[in-house]
């Protein structure tokens, strides 16, 4: 019976693929025949149902795993033989275990809520089926990544989500800014993929030298063969070899999970529709790196140096993302840098060896970050697609459901005790505090603990800034914008996707191919499209609450943000659950009762440190932003403090990396061209010239006259005679 349940995992993979195919091949036909209103509702339902059904099946499989003994929680199912090279076999196989099913539930559960929300958010989108085609395909690719049982299938899913993110970020591809953002995401991720590919090749080489000659199971790139032999592979090579493999894999994770310095694509990904931002940031793609480190934890656990690199990079990313968030006025950009910072938190946990804690934060982050992103979309929807928080204020009165749910998300990420974010964040602090990780005499664990605690304060502070500026802060500041006054309010607006405000820097250059819309064309399209949020935000605007298709997901996510962390920690015992699936975990004791749990928690110094960080951040935010928008954070950026101006410009890192890579790439291309042009071609051409010159010189001797050839022969014979005479004289001389 159980085996039949596990076989249904193929349907978990197939359902999003079916959804993608139906959207791609029948979406336009159905909408054209049923009309835009009914047709989009039908296609919306067809988009949501496959993901929701996949979640239901995933929950059924997980329930069967929970009932199984710990030693029987890994199941491998093979569909067909895929690749055979020499004595290596790579089948198309999936792995059902606690780690993969945890990710499946996050992807399909949060993903189905985001799909439902998108049916309302994108209800007026003319290209409705194309959007859900990409969204369903994105989920399918992510499921291949987490369910595949070998490195080859992981790579297929890894690249699949990369392509889908490119398509979704650039969904409104006629806008050049969106196209640039999708290109940037695609290119930066290729840098990470370079590391991932080399890391995989390195592990493949180690496996081929160690496992290949043994003549056993030829699937030595499959996890069930590779991971149990991690120690054997490591012992056969210099430790630096394993460290290099782990760091290369981590470079792949840096690209996909936006770690310093490869984080620069993620904030620009806000160019895509808000549901895309939520899906990429909360439920799927950016968590791939943390999943990879958990899956490969038997290897990372053998290399403390690689762990230290991961922890230090995570700490730098967490701190940098948090500080840059203070310079953002676009509500989605604040959340984007918050994601960067929280991802750094996850890698701190993985770096100090608490891999399960990193995945714990993935799960809780999926709850509250999906809630915050979808809530920000609801706010943007209510505010005529204006994304500048300085134009908000007192919105809780107009958006009670959105406001109440976002307040839950704010408290969860800020670390209010016993909410989802507080549980996982406290575990990260505890893991780093107890870590003995050391590199070159530097106590890495202690250093990253200090950084993580400081970032906890910053997180509570910048999220309080966003919340107070949006829902409180004394006045309704959009009332200060005169009707039909354009952007005289020194606006720093950012508008979602096709409603982008082109007064901001979109890097518009000459469109020599006449492909992109220019600003005038975009404005004409918006003016000609008859729906209510195309008007400018002004003093007459009345914010309105979102429809049920959008606030129901918010309500569900708010409940998860409150109880999800405690349920995973206390009810599921996530550490033991993941350990039974092969994840390396630190020592973890399960507490049997809630009373004992509360008593034990209150005795932890870390609990009080995390609570103090929350209190300092929230109270500081209220003092600065609670009553009004301060001048040094207002519309006049000349009054901003220097560090905040620098934070608004990302401390120049983004620009330096972008320009450096463009100019550096240009210089490298020119240098390579010079080597090819002057060295390689020079040698080839010189050889030709020399041969040609010799040929011409010899050719002059070929006159066709016999007397000429006789003269040459005579000269030659005379020269030979002279040589022989000279040689004989010297020979005789030698005999004396």
């Amino acid at each position: 019976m159980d085996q039949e349940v596990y076989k249904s995992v193929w349907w978990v993979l197939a359902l999003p693929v079916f959804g993608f195919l139906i959207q791609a091949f029948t979406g336009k036909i159905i909408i054209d025949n049923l009309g835009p209103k009914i047709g989009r509702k039908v296609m919306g339902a067809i988009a949501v149902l496959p993901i929701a059904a996949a979640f239901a099946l995933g929950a059924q499989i997980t329930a069967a795993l929970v009932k199984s003994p710990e030693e029987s929680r890994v199941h491998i199912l093979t569909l067909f033989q895929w690749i055979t090279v020499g004595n290596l076999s790579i089948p198309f196989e999936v792995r059902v275990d606690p780690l993969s099913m945890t990710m499946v539930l996050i992807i399909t559960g949060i993903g189905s809520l985001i799909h439902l929300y998108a049916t309302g958010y994108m209800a007026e989108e003319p290209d409705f089926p194309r959007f859900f085609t990409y969204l369903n395909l994105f989920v399918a690719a992510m499921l291949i990544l987490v369910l595949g049982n070998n490195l080859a299938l992981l790579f297929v899913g890894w690249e699949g989500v990369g392509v889908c993110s490119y398509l979704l970020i650039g969904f409104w591809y006629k806008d050049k800014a969106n196209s640039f953002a999708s290109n940037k995401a695609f290119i930066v991720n290729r840098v990470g993929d370079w590391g991932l590919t080399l890391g995989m090749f390195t592990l493949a080489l180690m496996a081929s030298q160690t496992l290949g000659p043994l003549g056993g199971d030829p699937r030595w790139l499959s996890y069930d063969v590779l991971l149990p032999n991690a120690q054997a592979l490591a012992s056969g090579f210099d430790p630096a070899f394993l460290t290099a493999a782990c760091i290369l894999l981590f470079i792949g994770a840096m690209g996909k999970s936006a770690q310093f310095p490869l984080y620069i694509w993620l904030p620009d990904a806000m160019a895509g529709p808000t549901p895309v931002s939520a899906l990429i940031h909360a439920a799927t793609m950016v968590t791939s790196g943390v999943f990879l480190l958990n899956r490969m934890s038997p290897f990372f656990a053998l290399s403390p140096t690689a762990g230290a690199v991961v922890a230090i990079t995570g700490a730098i990313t967490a701190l940098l993302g948090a500080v840059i968030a203070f310079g953002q006025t676009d509500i989605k950009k604040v959340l984007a840098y918050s994601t960067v910072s929280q991802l750094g938190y996850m890698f701190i946990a993985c770096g100090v060896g608490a891999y399960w804690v990193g995945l714990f934060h993935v799960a809780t982050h999926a709850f509250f970050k999906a809630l915050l992103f979808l809530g920000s979309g609801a706010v943007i929807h209510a505010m005529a697609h204006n994304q500048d928080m300085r134009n908000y204020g007192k919105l809780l009165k107009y958006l009670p459901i959105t406001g109440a749910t976002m307040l839950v998300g704010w408290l969860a990420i800020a670390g209010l005790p016993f909410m989802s974010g507080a549980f996982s964040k406290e575990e990260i602090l505890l893991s780093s505090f107890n870590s003995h990780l050391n590199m070159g005499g530097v106590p890495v664990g202690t250093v990253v603990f200090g950084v993580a605690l400081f970032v906890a304060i910053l997180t509570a502070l910048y999220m309080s800034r966003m919340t107070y500026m949006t829902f409180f802060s004394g006045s309704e500041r959009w009332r200060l914008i005169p009707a039909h006054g354009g952007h005289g309010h020194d606006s720093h607006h950012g508008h979602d996707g096709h409603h982008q405000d082109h007064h901001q820097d979109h890097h518009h250059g000459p469109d020599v191919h006449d492909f992109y819309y220019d600003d005038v064309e975009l404005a004409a399209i918006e003016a000609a499209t008859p729906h209510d949020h195309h008007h400018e935000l002004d003093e007459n605007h009345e914010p309105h609450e979102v429809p049920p298709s959008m606030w129901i997901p918010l309500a569900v996510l708010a409940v998860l943000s409150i109880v999800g962390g405690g349920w995973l920690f206390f009810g599921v015992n996530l550490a033991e659950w993941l350990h039974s699936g092969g994840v390396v975990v630190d020592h973890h004791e399960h507490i049997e009762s809630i009373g004992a749990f509360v008593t034990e928690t209150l005795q932890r110094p870390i609990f009080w440190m995390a609570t103090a960080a929350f209190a300092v951040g929230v109270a500081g935010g209220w003092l600065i932003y609670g009553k009004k928008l301060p001048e040094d954070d207002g519309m006049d950026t000349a009054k901003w403090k220097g560090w905040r101006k620098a934070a608004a410009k990302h401390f120049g890192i983004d620009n330096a990396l972008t320009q450096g890579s463009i100019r550096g790439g240009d210089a490298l291309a020119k240098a390579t061209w010079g080597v090819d042009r002057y060295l390689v071609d020079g040698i080839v051409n010189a050889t030709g010239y020399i041969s040609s010159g010799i040929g011409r010189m010899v050719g002059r001797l070929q006159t066709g006259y016999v007397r000429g050839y006789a003269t040459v022969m005579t000269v030659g014979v005379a020269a030979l005679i002279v040589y022989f005479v000279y040689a004989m004289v010297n020979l005789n001389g030698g005999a004396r």
Side-chain angles (χ1 to χ4, degrees), residues 402-424:
T402 298
T405 53
M406 282 196 74
L407 291 183
V408 171
W410 159 55
L411 294 173
I413 191 174
L416 178 66
F418 304 112
M419 293 191 74
S420 290
F423 273 100
S424 53

Side-chain angles (χ1 to χ4, degrees), residues 257-258 263-270 280-281 286 336-337 339-340 343:
S257 296
Y263 70 93
I264 56 175
W265 67 271
L266 195 141
D268 284 13
M270 297 300 98
I280 290 176
H281 284 232
V286 298
Y337 280 105
T339 299
V340 172
L343 286 167

Side-chain angles (χ1 to χ4, degrees), residues 86-88 207-220 225:
N87 59 349
L88 169 64
S208 68
Q209 298 297 309
T210 307
L211 304 179
L214 297 180
D217 194 330
R219 300 176 304 114
W220 22 276
V225 180

Side-chain angles (χ1 to χ4, degrees), residues 305-337:
T305 303
V309 171
V310 173
I312 292 170
T313 306
I316 293 172
T317 306
L319 181 60
L320 189 63
V323 175
I324 294 179
F326 283 98
Q328 308 305 309
T329 55
D330 181 323
I331 188 171
K332 283 179 66 178
K333 286 289 183 72
V334 174
L335 293 176
Y337 280 105

Side-chain angles (χ1 to χ4, degrees), residues 78 388 447 453 599 613 657:
T78 303
D388 193 327
V447 172
L453 187 61
T599 302
L657 288 176

Side-chain angles (χ1 to χ4, degrees), residues 490 630-642 644-645:
D490 186 25
E631 283 193 351
D632 64 357
D633 206 357
M635 293 295 177
D636 186 358
T637 54
K639 295 181 179 177
W640 286 24
K641 292 183 173 64
R644 192 188 293 276
K645 291 179 186 176

Side-chain angles (χ1 to χ4, degrees), residues 226-436:
L226 186 66
L227 299 180
N229 287 293
Q231 182 67 58
L233 265 66
S235 60
F237 292 83
D238 188 281
F241 211 74
L242 177 67
T243 297
C246 290
I247 290 177
L248 286 168
L249 290 176
F250 175 58
I251 290 173
M254 287 166 67
K256 203 66 82 184
S257 296
Q259 294 298 286
F260 177 82
L262 300 182
Y263 70 93
I264 56 175
W265 67 271
L266 195 141
D268 284 13
M270 297 300 98
T274 296
V276 172
S277 306
L279 195 61
I280 290 176
H281 284 232
T284 56
M285 186 166 135
V286 298
T287 59
S288 301
V290 184
F291 168 78
L292 176 66
L293 264 61
N294 270 267
R295 179 61 82 201
M296 305 306 290
S297 58
F299 285 100
F300 278 88
L302 296 172
S303 175
T305 303
V309 171
V310 173
I312 292 170
T313 306
I316 293 172
T317 306
L319 181 60
L320 189 63
V323 175
I324 294 179
F326 283 98
Q328 308 305 309
T329 55
D330 181 323
I331 188 171
K332 283 179 66 178
K333 286 289 183 72
V334 174
L335 293 176
Y337 280 105
S338 166
T339 299
V340 172
S341 182
Q342 295 301 306
L343 286 167
Y345 246 90
M346 297 170 200
F347 280 96
I348 287 175
C350 293
V352 298
Y355 301 96
W356 78 272
V357 177
L359 202 77
F360 186 20
H361 203 52
V362 167
T364 60
H365 182 262
F367 301 151
F368 59 71
K369 188 49 67 71
L371 169 61
L372 289 167
F373 260 115
L374 297 185
S376 74
V379 170
I380 294 166
H381 183 273
M383 297 301 285
H385 285 261
N386 187 300
Q387 296 179 201
D388 193 327
M389 299 182 301
R390 294 171 299 179
N391 289 323
Y392 298 167
K394 298 190 73 171
L395 284 180
L396 188 60
K397 181 173 69 174
Y398 298 95
L399 311 174
I401 300 175
T402 298
T405 53
M406 282 196 74
L407 291 183
V408 171
W410 159 55
L411 294 173
I413 191 174
L416 178 66
F418 304 112
M419 293 191 74
S420 290
F423 273 100
S424 53
K425 190 177 295 185
E426 189 189 328
E427 285 300 315
I428 292 172
L429 291 171
L430 184 63
S431 301
S432 55
F433 181 78
N434 290 332
S435 171
H436 300 294

Side-chain angles (χ1 to χ4, degrees), residues 127-150:
D127 219 348
F128 194 84
R130 184 166 64 86
F131 177 76
F132 283 104
T133 298
Y134 297 161
L135 219 57
N136 277 185
L137 184 61
F138 196 123
V139 173
M142 193 65 200
L143 289 173
I144 291 174
L145 193 159
V146 300
L147 281 171
N149 185 48
N150 52 59

